[in-house]
Amino acid sequence: MEAVRPPFAQVICLVLLALAPFHPAAGQGSRYEGRRIATIRFEPPGQPLEAEEIKNILPLKIGGTLRMADVEAAIARLFATGRYEDIQVDAEEYGDDVIIRFVTRESRFIGHVSVNGDVPDPPNRGQLVSATGLQLGQPLTEEGVERALEGIENLLNANGFYESRVKPVFRYDGDTQQMHVDFEIYTWRRARFDRPNFKGDLKASPDTLIGEAGWRRWLLGGWKPVTQMRVRQGLDNIRLHYERQGRLEAKVSFESLSYDHDTHRVIPTLEIDAGPKIEVRAFGAKLSRKLIRQHVPIFQEHTVDHALLVEGARNLEDYYQSQGYFDAEIEPKQQRVTNDQATVDYLINVGKRHKLVHIEISGNRYFDRETIRERMFLRTASLLQYRYGRFSQRLLRRDEEEILELYRTNGFRDAQVYSRIVDDYQGKHGDIAVYLTIEEGPQWFVNRLEVVGIKSLDVNEIRQMLSSEEGQPFSEYNVGVDRDTILGEYFARGFPQATFEWSSQPAEEPHRMNLRFAINEGQQQFVRQVLINGLKATSRNLVARNILLNPGDPLSPQRMTETQRRLYDLGVFAKVDTAIQNPDGETERKYVIYDMEEASRWSITTGFGAEVAKIGGCRACLEAPAGQAGFAPRFSFNVARQNLWGLAHVLSFRSRISTLEQRGLVTYSVPRFRNSENWDVLFTGMYDRSFNVRTFSSRRFEGAAQLSQRISKAETLFYRYTYRRAAVDPDSIKIAPLLIPLLAQPVRVGVLSGSFVSDRRDDPVEPRKGVYSTLDVGVAEHIFGSQRNFVRFLGRNATYHPLGRRVVLARNTMLGAVQAFRYSGDPVQAVPLPERFFSGGAVSHRGFPEQQAGPRDLVTGFPLGGTALLFNQMELRVPLLGENISGVLFHDAGNVYSGVKEISFRVKQRNLQDFNYMIHAAGVGIRYHTPVGPLRVDFAYGLNPPRFFGFDTNATLQELYEAGPDPCRTQPHRCVEQRISRFQFFFSIGQTF
């Protein structure tokens, strides 16, 4: 393949060759010089530049006079566009005139790069493409292709594929000058390790090092296949072996990896210098080995030098200062090597322990104390976070600089900050106070702002964006912000070469400054065309609808990036690269390229889990109406077909099977409905068989259609219609016989509902600050296909307040109600049993077992659910051990009520038939943080758990029915008093709220 862009020296040679026919030494230059140009031709006729662009570039004009300088300039300008690999100029007589002919060969630019072939992972296809080093939109050269082949071969060799072949296949698009490169890879089986060779000062037996490397299978025998990860891990394991021996300066490196074609084995040769044993000791204070390893970086860097030892001293000073030793001084001393042993001594003088109890700021008039304090690192002592406060001389200097920067940013150029430290504050030994005095000085303002050089944009519009406007505080920080604002606007409008310069002069009035902003716009660039590469299954129209750039638009990097984000958000691409073709070429109109790699169209996941709480109990008997300890294993299986029809639609099936519930859910999602980024459509069908409510088991068939509207990044609206048929198994219902005929009837419910979600949390998995609110309102009515008429409301609000670096106070409040209408009987009984609120447990109120809050059957004691609920949860989340283990102190209050009018804050139960009062529980919890959320264990103590009547726990459901309509009247001895246990425990994954 021919080179695309010749080096600079070759370009000069081509120019000279092209000018040869006109050179006087050739004997013809004088004959053409000064003649009239009859016409200018290009061969081939189809050129990479547009005709109008060529016309603007060429200094030669038809009808003009031919001059050598113009020919030379024409060639230079054409080459400067970057669109040509070779240019030759010829001339021929046409009567008294001359015809100029440009013979060109266009450049080629990198388009889509792919890798084909059955290559076992590792390496994966992304790694292979990355190994080519070919950058989208850049010129393609022979040297670049050779480097790409070498990069792929090196990566294959590093992963054991030594006997492989790589063949590049080129596909050229002449209209856009794109060269698509497909690398065809042919591999044989992966090579295996063989016994390594060790060189150098090992200070260990080779067999020991082989065992540490982990390249050999000791149980099965033989050697493991070669992969880049195993090679790297083997080196790390050998280094770790030396580190465990205290040889922190051990150097382990590969000298070579030799491949034997006959045995298909790889022999590693390692160069090792074990180095001396190094011991780190502390003098003057006790310091555990764990803390030394944690704070002295020589253990992480595997080397010992003065800079790392000094850094370790600073880290140890920070540690002691966090413990209240604010005057701690630590000095490292490195000893010489003697008998293969070296020592590093840290001389520690901790001084006396202090406590920072008071910070006082004075002299501030422009900023209030809170504005200044929020920028400071110094902290007074507190029980929850800093036992002795946070203080050091370095932190104090930093805070002084931050306060100065705050004032200077707002025009106080002469501001000064002074500090004073008072020991034994108010006569208490060890307490210290810090006094900060601020001398603000005069505030400087902008007297006049002159903006010059703006030609293509609206000057008034730009000036409205600036901070350094007349009458505003003057600071170099504001000027920097204005520079970024102006250049950002120019870059967004396609001016990539725009520059900004500024100057200032004191005005005649005191403390005022005249400013001058000078802008050099440079050449504006536009989009010639948007090129889309890499599509196989995805509809090209779908991609085109999400591209924000059109031919003729200004070349905006912001719009390029926003388009890239929109394409990623479709969820069908594993990778989306964007680039400008020929970015360095001096052309006004540029190709914008989007090169995509489609994600897998099938996704299959499985999961296993378990729930441990008071969820057990016999399903066919009346024992434990308040639940008993149980274990519920859980299995899930999910499969999804992505990018259906090439339109980013998703068809999925999700299932969950446990002893408490069997559920199957089919969904069909349509993102970006009607090409709007803010609208999505979702259709669902579900079958659910549930045993999670102790009173009954139910079956539910449900279909729903949902339209979601994204109002902002934090707020979303959902419009939903749901139709379901819910049936209670009459053989499982554990309530008074008189109620069974009414509550066991199958019910069809059609609900039209709307939801609002506002999520302003900083992290949905582990929130530390912010607010999360939801509101759901639904109406079930005959016109929607419902057999029962009712209105349902459920609202939730959660807030998160950081009280320190890792301490969070979290609150969650829920309020809900279900109200029947147009019903002649009891409105409570008009709400079907499965549509009532059943709550309590790990995520709502930990004073109850799961689904045990609220009204209960007066005969059996099993929960009946309610038509109103109110819960409030408070949690204080504090760190315990390291970064991964934290603790929780919590208080839960609330209940499920028989109706809205029955909601009460009363804390005392009036009698065994009264369940409409507020129940309180307090407790503690442990959180172990994992990538998918915290693993949590909670222990709760109920302060006022409800008591109730329950039928004989040894009786069966059949005996209950045989006892008649009123079992407690006919067999009073079988109705006994019971209550919810005061102690509850829960084990699950994820924060409570």
Side-chain angles (χ1 to χ4, degrees):
M1 189 186 67
E2 297 179 350
V4 176
R5 285 291 302 274
F8 179 74
Q10 293 177 348
V11 171
I12 297 300
C13 292
L14 290 172
V15 172
L16 293 177
L17 289 172
L19 295 175
F22 303 95
H23 200 278
Q28 300 181 13
S30 59
R31 190 171 58 172
Y32 294 134
E33 181 81 21
R35 290 195 181 188
R36 179 180 177 275
I37 301 174
T39 186
I40 301 174
R41 297 175 180 172
F42 278 82
E43 295 181 2
Q47 291 291 305
L49 296 176
E50 296 168 310
E52 187 65 26
E53 195 169 4
I54 292 177
K55 180 180 178 181
N56 294 333
I57 287 176
L58 290 183
L60 301 171
K61 305 298 180 183
I62 296 175
T65 303
L66 176 63
R67 303 183 186 280
M68 281 285 297
D70 291 341
V71 174
E72 185 176 344
I75 295 173
R77 292 181 185 180
L78 290 173
F79 266 121
T81 65
R83 290 284 171 187
Y84 295 97
E85 176 188 356
D86 184 22
I87 302 174
Q88 296 185 15
V89 184
D90 195 5
E92 64 177 271
E93 293 181 339
Y94 185 74
D96 293 334
D97 299 339
V98 64
I99 297 174
I100 304 298
R101 182 184 300 107
F102 288 85
V103 182
T104 64
R105 185 166 68 246
E106 61 190 21
S107 299
R108 294 167 172 81
F109 299 94
I110 299 170
H112 183 66
V113 179
S114 64
V115 172
N116 300 317
D118 188 13
V119 181
D121 189 2
N124 58 45
R125 296 186 184 277
Q127 291 172 314
L128 288 167
V129 171
S130 179
T132 66
L134 299 179
Q135 299 297 319
L136 185 66
Q138 295 292 331
L140 183 65
T141 64
E142 287 183 352
E143 294 82 2
V145 174
E146 291 173 0
R147 287 194 300 269
L149 292 172
E150 183 180 358
I152 292 176
E153 289 172 357
N154 289 339
L155 182 60
L156 291 171
N157 291 346
N159 286 278
F161 296 109
Y162 284 86
E163 300 185 18
S164 59
R165 292 187 298 111
V166 184
K167 176 185 176 183
V169 178
F170 302 98
R171 294 177 291 113
Y172 183 60
D173 184 349
D175 294 335
T176 61
Q177 293 183 260
Q178 282 195 110
M179 182 68 82
H180 304 294
V181 188
D182 300 322
F183 291 93
E184 301 288 345
I185 301 178
Y186 307 91
T187 61
W188 195 43
R189 62 187 176 90
R190 201 186 301 266
R192 293 180 177 271
F193 289 102
D194 207 341
R195 185 177 181 84
N197 294 326
F198 297 101
K199 295 182 179 181
D201 184 12
L202 306 185
K203 295 179 181 176
S205 68
D207 289 340
T208 299
L209 297 180
I210 291 173
E212 293 291 343
W215 294 330
R216 191 168 189 172
R217 289 176 172 157
W218 293 105
L219 294 178
L220 302 177
W223 295 86
K224 296 179 180 179
V226 176
T227 66
Q228 193 174 30
M229 178 62 72
R230 283 199 180 110
V231 171
R232 186 165 51 245
Q233 188 64 48
L235 284 180
D236 292 341
N237 290 341
I238 293 175
R239 291 192 187 102
L240 184 60
H241 166 74
Y242 284 113
E243 183 181 333
R244 288 195 298 264
Q245 293 183 338
R247 302 185 186 276
L248 303 180
E249 292 186 302
K251 294 179 175 57
V252 183
S253 60
F254 269 114
E255 183 180 285
S256 65
L257 284 171
S258 303
Y259 173 67
D260 189 327
H261 174 78
D262 296 332
T263 63
H264 201 52
R265 296 291 181 91
V266 175
I267 302 174
T269 300
L270 281 70
E271 183 71 33
I272 297 176
D273 180 8
K277 292 183 178 179
I278 297 175
E279 182 182 4
V280 181
R281 303 180 299 185
F283 291 92
K286 289 184 178 180
L287 199 60
S288 69
R289 183 173 180 82
K290 179 181 178 181
L291 285 174
I292 290 176
R293 295 180 66 87
Q294 181 179 344
H295 292 94
V296 180
I298 61 175
F299 295 96
Q300 290 78 38
E301 301 296 332
H302 306 290
T303 188
V304 180
D305 61 36
H306 181 71
L308 292 177
L309 296 179
V310 172
E311 183 182 348
R314 287 198 301 266
N315 294 341
L316 290 173
E317 286 178 359
D318 291 341
Y319 166 74
Y320 277 109
Q321 288 167 359
S322 70
Q323 302 299 309
Y325 298 101
F326 301 146
D327 302 323
E329 296 179 353
I330 301 175
E331 182 181 1
K333 294 289 185 181
Q334 186 175 0
Q335 307 297 326
R336 294 182 179 179
V337 178
T338 304
N339 297 326
D340 195 31
Q341 180 79 33
T343 58
V344 175
D345 296 334
Y346 279 98
L347 307 181
I348 303 174
N349 179 18
V350 296
K352 70 176 183 179
R353 175 171 277 172
H354 295 83
K355 180 187 291 186
L356 180 59
V357 297
H358 181 69
I359 299 175
E360 186 171 317
I361 301 172
S362 61
N364 56 303
R365 295 183 298 276
Y366 191 81
F367 295 105
D368 57 30
R369 184 177 184 275
E370 287 69 25
T371 302
I372 297 173
R373 286 289 288 121
E374 68 183 9
R375 288 165 170 78
M376 295 177 59
F377 267 59
L378 298 186
R379 291 289 185 270
T380 56
S382 63
L383 178 63
L384 295 178
Q385 189 171 12
Y386 301 106
R387 183 179 176 185
Y388 300 99
R390 185 166 66 182
F391 173 84
S392 71
Q393 291 292 340
R394 186 165 66 251
L395 292 179
L396 178 58
R397 289 192 296 272
R398 180 202 173 281
D399 285 351
E400 291 175 358
E401 293 171 358
E402 285 291 322
I403 296 172
L404 275 177
E405 183 64 22
L406 173 65
Y407 272 92
R408 289 171 180 171
T409 298
N410 287 272
F412 293 89
R413 305 179 66 193
D414 306 315
Q416 297 293 328
V417 178
Y418 303 97
S419 62
R420 181 169 61 93
I421 302 172
V422 177
D423 201 355
D424 296 337
Y425 176 66
Q426 294 184 346
K428 188 171 182 180
H429 181 71
D431 285 3
I432 63 173
V434 175
Y435 292 85
L436 292 170
T437 303
I438 301 171
E439 293 183 1
E440 294 181 341
Q443 188 176 17
W444 288 69
F445 294 91
V446 177
N447 182 65
R448 184 177 71 252
L449 174 64
E450 181 185 6
V451 181
V452 299
I454 297 180
K455 302 174 183 177
S456 303
L457 305 186
D458 188 331
V459 177
N460 294 327
E461 182 181 341
I462 293 294
R463 293 192 68 124
Q464 291 176 1
M465 302 178 183
L466 303 181
S467 303
S468 303
E469 193 51 81
E470 297 173 3
Q472 296 300 313
F474 164 74
S475 71
E476 293 187 4
Y477 174 83
N478 290 340
V479 172
V481 171
D482 293 339
R483 177 196 61 224
D484 295 341
T485 299
I486 292 174
L487 292 182
E489 282 296 309
Y490 270 99
F491 293 159
R493 308 287 180 90
F495 292 89
Q497 299 173 346
T499 60
F500 172 95
E501 294 180 356
W502 72 283
S503 59
S504 63
Q505 271 186 335
E508 294 181 358
E509 298 182 32
H511 309 127
R512 293 195 170 261
M513 194 72 73
N514 294 327
L515 285 179
R516 185 175 190 271
F517 291 172
I519 293 94
N520 181 12
E521 295 182 336
Q523 182 185 22
Q524 188 175 17
Q525 293 181 344
F526 299 91
V527 178
R528 179 173 178 178
Q529 190 176 341
V530 178
L531 308 179
I532 302 172
N533 300 331
L535 298 186
K536 296 178 181 178
T538 306
S539 167
R540 187 168 291 271
N541 289 334
L542 173 68
V543 175
R545 288 199 301 268
N546 287 279
I547 291 178
L548 303 178
L549 295 165
N550 296 301
D553 289 348
L555 187 60
S556 169
Q558 288 89 336
R559 282 184 170 266
M560 289 176 61
T561 304
E562 178 63 15
T563 296
Q564 185 181 33
R565 183 195 65 78
R566 287 170 61 93
L567 293 174
Y568 268 122
D569 288 347
L570 288 174
V572 299
F573 297 113
K575 184 175 70 172
V576 178
D577 291 334
T578 182
I580 299 171
Q581 188 189 85
N582 185 30
D584 299 326
E586 297 178 6
T587 56
E588 183 179 297
R589 295 163 63 82
K590 300 278 189 180
Y591 286 112
V592 176
I593 310 173
Y594 286 94
D595 184 54
M596 286 154 277
E597 178 185 330
E598 294 178 338
S600 174
R601 303 181 72 188
W602 288 95
S603 172
I604 300 176
T605 60
T606 59
F608 297 91
E611 185 176 356
V612 181
K614 291 191 175 182
I615 52 178
C618 175
R619 293 180 185 167
C621 58
L622 300 174
E623 67 175 354
Q628 58 186 214
F631 172 81
R634 182 180 298 167
F635 169 77
S636 64
F637 173 79
N638 305 322
V639 59
R641 174 63 161 79
Q642 314 279 351
N643 200 14
L644 204 63
W645 325 117
L647 298 174
H649 297 186
V650 179
L651 178 65
S652 66
F653 169 76
R654 290 182 290 174
S655 64
R656 184 168 66 186
I657 301 174
S658 74
T659 56
L660 298 177
E661 183 180 34
Q662 291 94 51
R663 173 180 291 185
L665 179 67
V666 177
T667 63
Y668 184 84
S669 64
V670 181
R672 299 190 181 179
F673 181 61
R674 298 183 65 85
N675 196 35
S676 172
E677 191 177 17
N678 298 323
W679 292 89
D680 298 323
V681 174
L682 179 68
F683 300 96
T684 62
M686 183 180 68
Y687 167 77
D688 179 86
R689 186 183 182 194
S690 176
F691 306 95
N692 58 351
V693 178
R694 295 273 295 128
T695 312
F696 62 91
S697 63
S698 64
R699 286 185 175 86
R700 182 172 55 162
F701 297 89
E702 180 176 296
Q706 174 180 285
L707 181 65
S708 61
Q709 178 187 8
R710 191 175 296 104
I711 301 175
S712 65
K713 184 178 179 180
E715 297 173 340
T716 307
L717 279 171
F718 299 90
Y719 313 93
R720 185 185 309 110
Y721 173 74
T722 306
Y723 183 80
R724 57 178 168 262
R725 183 182 186 276
V728 174
D729 183 356
D731 295 330
S732 69
I733 194 165
K734 303 173 183 179
I735 58 178
L738 283 175
L739 297 177
I740 292 176
L742 176 63
L743 297 182
Q745 294 178 1
V747 177
R748 296 191 305 274
V749 177
V751 181
L752 187 66
S753 61
S755 302
F756 172 75
V757 176
S758 176
D759 189 352
R760 301 184 182 276
R761 297 172 293 181
D762 59 337
D763 183 356
V765 178
E766 289 277 3
R768 287 185 38 78
K769 62 181 179 180
V771 180
Y772 179 75
S773 302
T774 64
L775 177 64
D776 183 85
V777 179
V779 178
E781 222 276 351
H782 289 308
I783 60 174
F784 304 135
S786 182
Q787 290 181 309
R788 302 288 177 87
N789 301 326
F790 59 86
V791 177
R792 181 185 177 94
F793 161 86
L794 182 63
R796 173 189 172 188
N797 175 259
T799 57
Y800 306 86
H801 304 278
L803 302 181
R805 189 171 65 90
R806 294 179 58 195
V807 179
V808 177
L809 178 64
R811 175 201 56 82
N812 180 49
T813 302
M814 288 187 292
L815 175 66
V818 182
Q819 181 65 46
F821 61 92
R822 288 213 302 265
Y823 185 75
S824 58
D826 183 355
V828 175
Q829 302 301 336
V831 179
L833 198 59
E835 299 295 330
R836 299 182 183 184
F837 291 120
F838 288 88
S839 195
V843 296
S844 56
H845 195 309
R846 284 159 285 192
F848 292 100
E850 293 291 338
Q851 315 290 5
Q852 290 280 320
R856 311 183 80 85
D857 183 71
L858 301 181
V859 174
T860 66
F862 282 84
L864 287 175
T867 59
L869 65 80
L870 173 63
F871 290 114
N872 186 77
Q873 300 170 283
M874 297 286 292
E875 285 193 350
L876 184 65
R877 301 170 182 175
V878 298
L880 288 182
L881 297 173
E883 295 292 329
N884 292 326
I885 299 179
S886 61
V888 169
L889 300 175
F890 64 83
H891 172 262
D892 293 352
N895 206 347
V896 173
Y897 299 85
S898 58
V900 175
K901 295 181 180 179
E902 305 300 329
I903 294 178
S904 170
F905 292 93
R906 177 168 44 86
V907 297
K908 186 175 181 180
Q909 186 178 16
R910 292 170 176 167
N911 52 58
L912 297 186
Q913 298 180 356
D914 173 26
F915 303 103
N916 293 313
Y917 71 102
M918 185 164 288
I919 294 173
H920 295 259
V924 298
I926 303 293
R927 306 288 186 267
Y928 179 78
H929 300 272
T930 71
V932 296
L935 189 69
R936 66 186 177 100
V937 179
D938 288 330
F939 301 90
Y941 179 79
L943 302 178
N944 55 340
R947 296 173 294 117
F948 55 88
F949 276 122
F951 202 67
D952 190 345
T953 58
N954 295 319
T956 64
L957 289 175
Q958 185 63 32
E959 291 176 314
L960 171 67
Y961 303 154
E962 292 175 353
D966 192 355
C968 288
R969 184 179 63 81
T970 58
Q971 302 183 28
H973 63 282
R974 305 201 72 170
C975 291
V976 295
E977 181 180 331
Q978 303 180 46
R979 77 171 182 185
I980 297 289
S981 173
R982 289 185 180 272
F983 293 95
Q984 304 291 335
F985 69 93
F986 304 93
F987 174 82
S988 58
I989 293 179
Q991 288 285 12
T992 314
F993 56 89

